[in-house]
Amino acid sequence: MDTRVLQEMAVRYFLEVARCGSVSLAAERLDVAPSAVSRQIARLERELGTLLFERRARGMALNAAGELLATYAKRAQQDVERVASEMMSLRGLREGLLRIVCTEGFLHDLVPVAVARFRRAHPGVRFSVEVCSQREVPLRVIDGTADIGITLSLTSHREVRVEWRTPAPVRAVMARDHPLAQRASVSLAELTPYPLALPGPDSTLRQLIDISSSRQQLQLSPVFCGDSVDALVAFAAAGGGITFCGELAARNRLRWGEVVALPLRDREMNERHFEVQTLAGRSLPQAACAFVASLRDSLESASNGEDIAAPA
């Protein structure tokens, strides 16, 4: 086995195919011909003396050997990034790229505001932000495609380190003139006579609602369904009905006085947590540590009633 192949372009191509599950998609993202990607994968398998993928009709999936190589390659990539960050710090620089992945509810306000706040003190740091499902956020952190994950969590992951965690109960969100808007709290049973706007069936929020409804033998018939938290809250703000989300996701409209967010007394609606996640065992770049600290300070200030967008 010629292990020098592990330090070459073939590994970069291999990782992209592993992420995309397809040679053609990987080639598109790498901006090279698919044949070039196929040659590099074939060379890697030849030099290592083993197949790395299962070839399927609709793409390629890592086999056991491929999973081992992917784990090694991702960790090696992260080590290079960490050393580069530390070297820049020794030179007095404040540069680099932070990759954040978050759920859709945090994309419209929380993350961009936190990034803008951070860059006032660290203008040389660049950011990339991708949105994905709640289930995918820790997976992106684990596979090394994101430095920081920002999500709502119901369960823990052994390979994820939780940098900051706080309860994120589900709220019933409605227009200020809704008949229930003056209540101190409500239950799902009290909401069933009113029009409801619910997230799609694949969201964990919808699953919580369905579990609680099933336990109480409630029939919820939504008049509006959608995968966008912002769309659901906008529907509620327009007087269309009641929806459900956390206060962070609806913070702008709450601040503008368009909606109210009432606590729910149902126990399942109080079992979620907001988490800032990184890869367990990884030494984060200095900029990532500083951003996590800045985000934590901002969220703690917000929980005390301060404006998260206020200058640091």
Side-chain angles (χ1 to χ4, degrees):
M1 178 190 300
D2 186 355
T3 56
R4 289 176 298 178
V5 73
L6 297 178
Q7 304 173 19
E8 298 177 2
M9 183 184 298
V11 173
R12 185 161 66 93
Y13 285 18
F14 159 79
L15 281 176
E16 201 60 54
V17 174
R19 289 177 186 130
C20 297
S22 161
V23 167
S24 58
L25 288 176
E28 184 177 336
R29 293 188 61 169
L30 292 164
D31 196 24
V32 298
S35 58
V37 176
S38 296
R39 283 197 301 272
Q40 291 292 344
I41 297 299
R43 177 181 174 232
L44 195 58
E45 292 179 327
R46 183 173 63 253
E47 295 291 348
L48 295 177
T50 183
L51 294 176
L52 300 171
F53 292 94
E54 295 178 9
R55 274 68 173 177
R56 298 174 178 175
R58 294 188 176 182
M60 300 170 68
L62 292 172
N63 60 19
E67 293 282 1
L68 286 174
L69 178 57
T71 299
Y72 156 80
K74 290 167 189 172
R75 292 294 175 92
Q77 194 176 65
Q78 290 163 356
D79 287 342
V80 169
E81 292 168 356
R82 177 180 56 81
V83 171
S85 175
E86 291 176 355
M87 290 175 67
M88 286 190 291
S89 296
L90 290 173
R91 294 167 56 192
L93 299 177
R94 294 293 183 270
E95 300 178 357
L97 172 67
L98 288 185
R99 302 163 301 169
I100 297 175
V101 62
C102 67
T103 49
E104 187 263 344
F106 301 126
L107 183 66
H108 302 289
D109 182 36
L110 174 68
V111 172
V113 170
V115 168
R117 179 188 178 105
F118 181 80
R119 291 194 73 257
R120 284 197 284 268
H122 306 280
V125 179
R126 296 173 293 114
F127 288 80
S128 70
V129 180
E130 290 190 43
V131 64
C132 64
S133 70
Q134 183 176 320
R135 182 185 62 84
E136 289 179 299
V137 169
L139 301 180
R140 298 281 190 94
V141 171
I142 291 168
D143 73 13
T145 56
D147 300 305
I148 299 168
I150 299 174
T151 187
L152 294 163
S153 179
L154 301 175
T155 59
S156 60
H157 292 262
R158 184 170 52 87
E159 297 178 85
V160 167
R161 178 171 63 214
V162 177
E163 301 285 350
W164 197 70
R165 189 173 194 254
T166 190
V170 179
R171 302 301 194 203
V173 178
M174 62 195 75
R176 296 187 66 85
D177 59 355
H178 192 279
L180 299 179
Q182 301 305 314
R183 296 278 193 92
S185 64
V186 291
S187 67
L188 282 179
E190 292 170 320
L191 303 181
T192 54
Y194 298 94
L196 300 178
L198 299 182
D202 293 333
S203 77
T204 52
L205 174 54
R206 177 64 177 273
Q207 291 164 16
L208 279 179
I209 294 169
D210 289 346
I211 290 170
S212 188
S213 300
S214 176
R215 177 180 63 82
Q216 301 177 68
Q217 297 183 325
L218 301 175
Q219 294 293 325
L220 300 186
S221 300
V223 300
F224 183 83
C225 288
D227 293 327
S228 168
V229 173
D230 199 51
L232 294 171
V233 176
F235 179 79
I242 300 170
T243 193
F244 303 88
C245 69
E247 288 189 7
L248 281 174
R251 187 176 59 247
N252 265 344
R253 294 186 185 274
L254 287 169
R255 189 165 57 221
W256 299 333
E258 296 182 2
V259 295
V260 297
L262 302 184
L264 285 155
R265 296 192 295 273
D266 312 85
R267 66 170 184 262
E268 292 87 355
M269 300 296 100
N270 294 279
E271 294 178 351
R272 297 192 315 172
H273 285 80
F274 171 87
E275 290 187 353
V276 179
Q277 303 174 342
T278 62
L279 181 63
R282 179 188 178 192
S283 296
L284 286 177
Q286 184 179 13
C289 292
F291 179 74
V292 168
S294 175
L295 180 61
R296 182 177 61 245
D297 291 345
S298 296
L299 291 167
E300 288 175 348
S301 296
S303 67
N304 292 327
E306 300 173 28
D307 188 348
I308 193 173

